Amino acid sequence: MSKRWLFFSFLLVLMVVLFGGSRPVAAAAPPLEPANTVREITAEEVEGFVDRYIESNMESAQVPGLVVTVVHDDQVILSNGYGYADIATQRPMTAQTNLRAGSVSKPVMSAAVLQLVEQGKIALDEPVSTYITDLPLEDRFGSASTVSQLLTLKGGYADTVLLSHSSSLEEWQPLDEYLAENLEPRAMPPGLVHSYSSWEHALLGYAVEQVSGQPYDRIVDQNLFQPAGMTRTTFSQPLPQDILDNLAIGYNYAGGEYDVVPLDYVLLSPGIALVTTGEDMGRFMLALLNEGNLNGRQIMEAETAESLLTRQEEVHPYSRGRSYGFSEITLAGRQGFYHDGNGIGFGNRMILMPSREFGIFLSINHRPLAPDAGPTPAYRFMRELSTALIERYIPADEVEAPTVQPLADAAERASRYTGHYRLAGTPQNDFFKMGALMDNVDVSNNHDGTITIGSKFYIEVEPLVFQSLADPGFFVIFVEDEQGQVEFLTFGGTGSYKKVAWYETAGLQMALLAAMVLVFLASLIALPFAGRRHWPVGAIALLNLIFVVGVGIMMFRADLIAFFKEIPTVTSLLLLLPWLSAVLVVVLPLYWLKVGRRGSTGRIKIYYGLTTMAAVAFTWFVFYWHLYLP
């Protein structure tokens, strides 16, 4: 799940003024020692380094338990557990302890789909509707996304996560039922840009069920887990009792204590629900790095393993692309493939460097995202450890930036790229849509042939292709729609952004909100002087101010990640207020006309006019951003 879609940002400035303060950000753990010399990869050396790193940094990062698995040259170099799987009983974390892998499920699910491609049961270039005939997969963008597009996250679906988990098994739905009731049309044309979404792997899992006639978790177990000896790995929900008994407890460190994160059930299960161990993930990594072979047994065809660890789709050759299961990544000058898994109560990372025959899997039993959706210290620690391992044992790649020249007419063309862009995979039909006001970028024209994105300067070297002036090896790619208009920009991988209209820009939206709030405040202050008969004006102003303050409190006080599982009653009541306000907005113009016929003073007319305009604008604002309960 990225980390880049935070919520309700439109209230940030206002709520800082109202409530003051900010949340402290824990400092990153200092590196244990400089990593300027690549060490030999031996079991003794790697274990010694990891032990020292953990001893120095794990406690301060508030990590209850950690699993580290390192493979190299067809061997498991390290597979150890550290800390506790269960703090209350002091059950130790081990490489055999079960963990919730979150979105590390996606490359595993991709491997299972590709095994059916090997068998001729699924074709990569076929629309997924070839295999799924009971869902309406065609929409305004035409025919259904292909299997290949879904595998590379080019399917066009938004990353809708509201209520994508359930707190109890009674509320959980099988995959077919959940998709039938909740799958939304695509948010963008398929095949243009990579955009993160768990719905795409959910569709792949359902395609597996349709072509095999069995639940996808059973097929993955038969075709992949059993042949690979991954005996403690499953997608099944509820969990088999032996795995449930062996599952680590998920935690969140808050107020000086470790709070237990209750077990939940995943509705978009094929891309999220994997439960595994460090030992089993070592087997999976070895199979991928060894052309599908594990201990002399061919788990998958060499072509399948290769397609998981080589670029399959890109927006442009200069941009980071995706394989059929991973995104390309460059860490400290080292190139490879990775996938993170940010499950509720657990954080995971897998990095594979096929050219070095090197892979690492790390998992912590601590939630990776804080209540405000920022990374926790525990999650930062895990990512820093992965980078430290790569810096210590993998030589930096010698990669030369492409030799390119700026376009002669770059200054004339720059204006077509300027504008406001928001995260392409932002949900469109629930209140998480407000995350677009935080995760966005502005592109401005410097009128000298360069553009500015954020604080960095770029120059056009090919049509739609811009090179960073500070980092010549980094490129930003723009993508046109069918009419030849610029529609997206991408930083590579799943970092894609969609150009929006002028009225959707974050600055304008926040300015509009501030203006409306000022009008409502003025309306309440003026109400006693206007007279009791003008109560609808005061009622609308009061309702809308309560709503703004309530959402602000929710933003600062509520656990936003909890909305993955449920919408609390108080939030539901809050999100009903816009409906009541909208009813009064319909009535308000009638009062305005009545005031005009009675020959009221100019001040009263201005009072009604400003409040009516602000109320209508606020109604549009709330319903455009889906800040209401359907």
Side-chain angles (χ1 to χ4, degrees), residues 504-520:
E504 297 177 286
T505 61
L508 179 62
Q509 291 289 316
M510 293 188 69
L512 176 64
L513 175 66
M516 292 185 295
V517 167
L518 289 175
V519 170
F520 295 143

Side-chain angles (χ1 to χ4, degrees), residues 128 145-153 155 157 200-201 203-204:
V128 71
S145 306
T146 67
V147 172
S148 177
Q149 288 168 346
L150 297 176
L151 283 169
T152 56
L153 297 182
Y157 288 92
E200 308 206 350
H201 278 76
L203 286 172
L204 289 169

Side-chain angles (χ1 to χ4, degrees), residues 524-573:
L524 278 182
I525 294 172
L527 182 61
F529 303 98
R532 186 178 301 174
R533 62 192 176 95
H534 300 302
W535 68 267
V537 176
I540 287 178
L542 181 61
L543 279 174
N544 291 343
L545 287 174
I546 290 173
F547 180 75
V548 170
V549 172
V551 173
I553 292 173
M554 179 174 65
M555 184 185 80
F556 276 91
R557 301 298 183 189
D559 184 352
L560 299 178
I561 310 304
F563 291 127
F564 288 14
K565 295 190 286 188
E566 62 181 350
I567 300 177
T569 301
V570 65
T571 302
S572 297
L573 293 174

Side-chain angles (χ1 to χ4, degrees), residues 39 120 123 129 141 265 297-298 321 333 373 423 452 458 479 499 516:
R39 273 71 168 186
S129 57
F141 297 116
Y265 300 88
R297 184 173 186 178
Q298 202 69 30
L423 188 66
T452 299
Y458 297 83
V479 179
K499 194 173 186 179
M516 292 185 295

Side-chain angles (χ1 to χ4, degrees), residues 245-262:
D245 293 342
N246 189 51
L247 183 66
I249 305 296
Y251 292 99
N252 179 52
Y253 187 81
E257 297 182 355
Y258 288 96
D259 297 327
V260 172
V261 177

Side-chain angles (χ1 to χ4, degrees), residues 229-253:
M230 299 169 67
T231 58
R232 291 184 175 271
T233 298
T234 185
F235 274 103
S236 296
Q237 294 185 99
L239 291 171
Q241 191 62 47
D242 60 331
I243 290 181
L244 180 62
D245 293 342
N246 189 51
L247 183 66
I249 305 296
Y251 292 99
N252 179 52
Y253 187 81

Side-chain angles (χ1 to χ4, degrees), residues 333-335 356 395-401:
R334 286 79 166 168
Q335 296 180 316
R356 309 289 184 178
D397 293 306
E398 296 181 5
V399 179
E400 293 184 5

Side-chain angles (χ1 to χ4, degrees), residues 465-480:
V465 179
F466 283 78
Q467 183 180 39
S468 169
L469 296 184
D471 180 6
F474 186 78
F475 293 83
V476 171
I477 314 299
F478 290 84
V479 179
E480 295 175 331

